[in-house]
Amino acid sequence: MREINVALLGSCLGSALIYLYTKQAIRAKNAAIRLHYTYCNSLIFLMPASVGQFVIYESDRLILKKPQVLGKSAFARQLRPIKDETFIPLPEDANNDWIYCWNALLQPFLSTMHKLPPNYHDIFQLNEPVKETTGFSENLIRDHFNYFYKPQLDILKAMKKFGRHVVVLEPNRPNPFPCEAAFYHKVTRIEQEVIQNELKQMDIPFIDLPQEMVDENGFNKEAYRMVKDEPDYAHANALGCQTIGQRLIDFLEEHFYFDGEDGPLSYRSAMKG
Amino acid sequence: MKHPYKSQGLTAFWDSAISAVNSLELSGLYERKFDIIGCKLAAAGSCFAQHIGQALKKQGLEFLDLEPAPSFLAKELHKPYNYGLYSARYGNIYTSRQLLQLFDRAFNQFVPKDNIWRRGQGFVDPFRPNIEPDPFVNAEELVELRRLHLEKVQELMRQCQIFIFTLGLTETWFSTDDGAAYPVVPGTSLGGDFDSARYRFHNLSYVEIVADLELFRQKLQQINPDCRILLTVSPVPLAATALPRHVLVSTIYSKSVLRAAAGWLAQEYDDVDYFPSYEIIASHPTRGMFFMPDGRSVSKAGVEHVMGHFFKAHGLKPDDGHQPESQPQQNLEEYEQDPVCEELALAAFNALKEENKL
């Protein structure tokens, strides 16, 4: 049985947890999957302008450069020290059996909204809450996301162009930011719609928490890390990551297969939604 | 007894002011009534007013913008969402009646009955139908965003020290219900459904325009006694006329009426000035050189030329260092080149265009 090489491209602690739980799920199911993990915290706050600084794609490889903002988690560092540059093999220097799982594509509206430095903790120091009535129409928020995600989606497109299979994992929701709940839910809903629509057009599978785990606003309190007795809605906890890991393995087993003993890795399109 | 013409300067005589001078070097066309430097400026009007606002901003003058683009929004999206075009997001205000009613709507003195139009599956604000590229997804959002906008207009009227208004059109469309004036006839690609029982055409007269602007001035003074008004007339011709006559004839009529009304107001009131942007661009000594090949759009060179006269009269050279560092510059070129213009929606009704012959 040939193994599929799965590269998990992570951006935050959630990715580390997903790595661990996915690994467990692989072992438990004895699945023919070899899991690789690259921690790259720079992607947490990928903004259109900063993409060029952190991610460079050349003709034969994608390079994730050492991020300026490093993960503070000792756990993450222990798991995989951050290197100066991480090379993601593309067709010319890799076997054709790689699947790239891009975790945490959804990124906070807040970081762009408030021109924050890319430091997660600063988010909680904002004083001025954003109100539903601040004056942004749904169209404007949608166009903002369309524009904002373009560089990240271009990277995914580049990966596909290089013949790579790409899967996007998203256990998280955008980081919470000081705003009225109605506005937060509106922004979150639009963001989900935009990103899922784009991925659908690119035929890239999107794996998030199962519908039964989320409420009408797309949240499940039990799946997120608690901060001051409130779910932070940004970081999936062990339950959330375990669920994602399990779903990822199930999905890979169901939809990816080798076309003959020496044939290439193929993907049965089964788009979400 | 000395003849009155004896004491007139060279600019009072056509041969010395025009015939003997290169048309790019005409001088003394405008003498300011009041200073603009150090004053909080607000701009509104027909699409040509966008050029004026951008030039004032570029010059680094204190140009008010009470509805700036949200910081997160990419610069490419500012113009389609009408950010940074005027001092608030009211879109183009083509007529004196629209201006007066904007003031009244902002101060809750007028609530038009017909105030939501449909466009496709969405909804548009009839008083700024082009404010966003796509219609609002629901009527509630439209109403809420309009409420916020009108609050900002109210704030603007209270804050500004000089209100610059560019008169654009006399031809306008009203609601037969309550006289609400729209920037564009309903039923274009911008939204609404035309119904001759609900909407009527009207060509504003000199008397009506003067009355509108006098009333606006009076109301403005009540809430902002020191505010002064600077009037200009847009040199941009009509995109289309609703009258059974040639569009050129309608254009000259409209511009003449607007010019006369603005002139009378500036003559009558010390706190009202008139800047001759219309004359500088559209009068025959410049032989139409400031118009683009369509004979309608004003070129960038034209805008720069006009504003050069304006700034010179205020003791400024274009871009002479008043530019504050915080002023975003990179997209001004784009604004200058191609103003947002609802009136252009009328061009789509041209029979030749409908047959793809234009």
Side-chain angles (χ1 to χ4, degrees):
Chain A
M1 186 190 288
R2 284 170 63 189
E3 282 186 335
I4 300 172
N5 278 301
V6 173
L8 179 59
L9 310 178
S11 65
C12 54
L13 185 57
S15 302
L17 282 172
I18 288 173
Y19 172 75
L20 284 182
Y21 288 117
T22 308
K23 199 100 180 157
Q24 278 183 9
I26 291 168
R27 277 198 213 103
K29 289 189 77 175
N30 202 18
I33 292 169
R34 186 192 301 272
L35 190 64
H36 307 262
Y37 174 55
T38 301
Y39 181 87
C40 185
N41 202 31
S42 68
L43 296 180
I44 193 170
F45 284 109
L46 261 190
M47 293 189 204
S50 65
V51 167
Q53 294 167 29
F54 297 126
V55 182
I56 302 165
Y57 38 101
E58 298 176 350
S59 60
D60 62 343
R61 63 188 183 176
L62 186 83
I63 304 170
L64 303 183
K65 297 198 76 172
K66 183 179 178 180
Q68 301 303 307
V69 183
L70 303 178
K72 297 286 188 292
S73 158
F75 173 65
R77 280 202 297 271
Q78 195 181 2
L79 194 73
R80 178 62 57 98
I82 296 165
K83 295 175 183 171
D84 279 351
E85 287 186 341
T86 301
F87 300 94
I88 298 177
L90 287 165
E92 287 173 31
D93 63 355
N95 297 324
N96 194 22
D97 61 355
W98 281 77
I99 300 168
Y100 294 111
C101 296
W102 191 288
N103 182 43
L105 183 70
L106 290 176
Q107 291 305 334
F109 186 63
L110 177 72
S111 59
T112 51
M113 196 164 190
H114 292 280
K115 288 189 175 167
L116 279 181
N119 182 339
Y120 179 82
H121 300 286
D122 287 350
I123 289 166
F124 299 105
Q125 292 167 12
L126 285 172
N127 299 319
E128 190 67 27
V130 178
K131 295 177 182 169
E132 157 101 273
T133 53
T134 303
F136 314 128
S137 70
E138 182 155 337
N139 289 330
L140 184 144
I141 295 169
R142 195 176 299 279
D143 275 356
H144 163 67
F145 283 128
N146 277 320
Y147 190 85
F148 174 72
Y149 278 121
K150 196 173 178 305
Q152 295 189 67
L153 295 169
D154 282 349
I155 291 171
L156 300 184
K157 270 183 199 161
M159 287 175 154
K160 285 202 70 161
K161 195 176 156 193
F162 285 127
R164 302 295 83 189
H165 297 288
V166 180
V167 174
V168 168
L169 309 179
E170 187 43 71
N172 300 333
R173 289 295 178 269
N175 284 322
F177 55 92
C179 66
E180 291 175 343
F183 185 61
Y184 180 81
H185 292 320
K186 179 174 166 180
V187 169
T188 304
R189 172 178 58 79
I190 297 170
E191 185 167 28
Q192 293 274 340
E193 284 171 12
V194 165
I195 204 73
Q196 292 194 28
N197 183 48
E198 288 289 333
L199 293 175
K200 201 167 193 169
Q201 285 181 24
M202 290 159 65
D203 197 25
I204 291 177
F206 179 81
I207 297 174
D208 64 356
L209 292 171
Q211 280 303 308
E212 59 270 22
M213 284 185 74
V214 298
D215 65 17
E216 69 278 10
N217 292 313
F219 304 120
N220 179 351
K221 291 188 176 188
E222 290 170 15
Y224 296 100
R225 193 180 66 173
M226 300 294 281
V227 176
K228 294 179 187 167
D229 296 331
E230 283 292 320
D232 79 352
Y233 291 134
H235 295 95
N237 61 15
L239 175 64
C241 292
Q242 197 167 14
T243 308
I244 286 288
Q246 191 62 54
R247 279 170 71 87
L248 173 62
I249 296 310
D250 292 346
F251 184 88
L252 295 175
E253 284 195 327
E254 189 180 343
H255 295 287
F256 285 91
Y257 64 98
F258 284 105
D259 193 8
E261 193 55 34
D262 300 318
L265 183 67
S266 296
Y267 168 57
R268 290 184 199 96
S269 182
M271 291 307 303
K272 186 176 156 34
Chain B
M1 190 177 171
K2 193 179 171 187
H3 193 280
Y5 282 90
K6 197 85 176 154
S7 56
Q8 286 287 68
L10 291 177
T11 57
F13 297 91
W14 191 268
D15 54 3
S16 53
I18 304 288
S19 308
V21 180
N22 182 308
S23 55
L24 289 171
E25 290 167 358
L26 304 182
S27 59
L29 285 162
Y30 170 60
E31 276 186 33
R32 69 176 192 269
K33 246 189 197 178
F34 36 77
D35 282 334
I36 58 163
I37 299 171
C39 293
K40 292 176 181 165
L41 310 173
S46 75
C47 53
F48 186 74
Q50 291 168 33
H51 294 304
I52 294 176
Q54 297 312 312
L56 295 171
K57 222 186 281 188
K58 195 172 178 182
Q59 192 68 25
L61 295 167
E62 203 171 340
F63 186 79
L64 292 174
D65 185 354
L66 295 204
E67 292 187 274
S71 59
F72 62 84
L73 196 68
K75 291 216 161 35
E76 287 79 351
L77 294 176
H78 288 195
K79 191 173 165 188
Y81 280 88
N82 275 254
Y83 283 111
L85 298 182
Y86 292 117
S87 298
R89 288 175 77 216
Y90 24 67
N92 293 320
I93 301 171
Y94 292 102
T95 63
S96 55
R97 190 63 51 86
Q98 254 185 283
L99 175 66
L100 182 61
Q101 290 183 357
L102 173 68
F103 187 97
D104 286 346
R105 289 193 297 122
F107 286 86
N108 302 311
Q109 293 168 9
F110 178 46
V111 180
K113 290 176 189 162
D114 172 41
N115 58 15
I116 295 175
W117 284 355
R118 294 298 301 253
R119 191 202 303 169
Q121 300 300 308
F123 302 84
V124 294
D125 184 344
F127 304 102
R128 44 178 200 160
N130 206 20
I131 205 69
E132 298 204 348
D134 295 311
F136 294 106
V137 294
N138 56 57
E140 293 73 30
E141 186 177 80
L142 182 160
V143 170
E144 179 58 14
L145 292 177
R146 179 165 57 204
R147 186 187 66 75
L148 290 165
H149 159 65
L150 291 176
E151 275 179 16
K152 292 295 178 186
V153 173
Q154 191 177 126
E155 213 179 311
L156 179 74
M157 295 297 177
R158 292 185 194 281
Q159 272 189 31
C160 70
Q161 293 171 302
I162 296 179
F163 187 81
I164 303 168
F165 184 61
T166 301
L167 291 149
L169 298 176
T170 54
E171 292 192 13
T172 190
W173 290 86
F174 291 123
S175 161
T176 50
D177 248 356
D178 55 11
Y182 306 103
V184 68
V185 62
T188 69
S189 57
L190 295 175
D193 291 309
F194 185 73
D195 177 349
S196 59
R198 297 180 62 205
Y199 303 104
R200 70 183 167 86
F201 171 77
H202 184 65
N203 201 12
L204 287 165
S205 69
Y206 167 85
V207 173
E208 288 169 314
I209 292 165
V210 167
D212 284 344
L213 292 176
E214 282 189 316
L215 193 51
F216 170 75
R217 174 182 167 273
Q218 189 190 323
K219 290 183 176 200
L220 183 61
Q221 283 200 332
Q222 279 169 7
I223 54 126
N224 185 356
D226 296 326
C227 185
R228 285 160 295 182
I229 296 172
L230 176 60
L231 295 173
T232 64
V233 172
S234 165
V236 178
L238 275 65
T241 180
L243 291 165
R245 65 185 182 199
H246 199 286
V247 67
L248 180 65
V249 178
S250 283
T251 294
I252 300 300
Y253 172 83
S254 285
K255 300 298 175 182
S256 305
V257 167
L258 294 171
R259 171 64 188 90
W264 188 85
L265 289 158
Q267 185 181 297
E268 192 68 10
Y269 300 107
D270 289 342
D271 55 340
V272 179
D273 196 3
Y274 171 74
F275 172 66
S277 58
Y278 173 71
E279 288 86 331
I280 295 169
I281 297 287
S283 65
H284 72 270
T286 54
R287 292 163 175 81
M289 76 168 94
F290 295 127
F291 286 101
M292 299 295 276
D294 64 3
R296 184 172 182 273
S297 316
V298 176
S299 67
K300 189 177 172 222
V303 174
E304 281 172 358
H305 186 71
V306 161
M307 294 314 292
H309 279 281
F310 183 76
F311 291 133
K312 193 174 174 191
H314 284 276
L316 299 168
K317 286 180 196 163
D319 303 321
D320 75 347
H322 277 74
Q323 183 62 56
E325 280 178 20
S326 59
Q327 203 77 280
Q329 281 299 297
Q330 49 271 56
N331 273 13
L332 288 178
E333 293 273 315
E334 186 202 340
Y335 282 112
E336 286 161 3
Q337 289 288 22
D338 193 12
V340 176
C341 191
E342 289 91 348
E343 203 200 346
L344 283 176
L346 298 175
F349 294 107
N350 189 322
L352 286 179
K353 201 162 243 177
E354 285 182 316
E355 292 167 20
N356 286 327
K357 289 182 183 167
L358 273 183

